[in-house]
Amino acid sequence: ATVGTVAGGAGGFYATRALMGSDRAAYERTAQKGLAQADDGQILEWQNPKTGNSGIFRTIRSFKMADGRYCRQYRATVSFEKNVRSGVGMACRQDGGQWQVVSDDFS
């Protein structure tokens, strides 16, 4: 898993590495929206009719770290043609508004 600033907030996911092009863009838009705007527990969905891949993104809880950073735990599921992957992670908002994945566990 990679740790770094990502536009979609969850690029460190193992399953998202398998997403290409329009699938990855749809996932990252959904993840960014979830981290930036969704209420805890709210499920956001994405789907790509061209490839048949789809997924969901749900923030689990929001909190402030001891150092003052605003962070969110999330769960994501990606459905491929013959496989489904789910995982949890945590991202923290950086000064510029971007989200940095600080942990993820895709199984």
Side-chain angles (χ1 to χ4, degrees), residues 1-6 9-18 24 27 74 85-90 100-107:
T2 354
V3 176
T5 303
V6 291
F13 276 140
Y14 168 79
T16 62
R17 290 185 201 144
R24 186 171 190 80
Y27 174 84
Y74 53 84
R85 295 269 188 172
S86 290
V88 295
M90 183 176 80
Q100 181 179 33
V101 174
V102 293
S103 68
D104 64 37
D105 175 24
F106 231 98
S107 56

Side-chain angles (χ1 to χ4, degrees), residues 18-94:
L19 295 176
M20 300 300 239
S22 58
D23 285 333
R24 186 171 190 80
Y27 174 84
E28 290 186 353
R29 277 192 306 273
T30 303
Q32 179 63 38
K33 183 177 180 181
L35 290 167
Q37 300 173 10
D39 293 329
D40 288 347
Q42 182 178 352
I43 295 172
L44 301 176
E45 300 177 25
W46 66 270
Q47 183 173 22
N48 187 344
K50 292 179 184 177
T51 63
N53 293 335
S54 62
I56 60 172
F57 186 91
R58 176 174 52 103
T59 54
I60 299 169
R61 72 181 184 103
S62 304
F63 56 95
K64 282 207 175 195
M65 299 286 279
D67 63 6
R69 289 182 298 161
Y70 179 64
C71 300
R72 302 193 83 177
Q73 271 188 311
Y74 53 84
R75 172 169 281 287
T77 300
V78 176
S79 177
F80 301 97
E81 185 176 325
K82 296 180 181 179
N83 196 8
V84 175
R85 295 269 188 172
S86 290
V88 295
M90 183 176 80
C92 296
R93 187 171 54 208
Q94 303 302 296

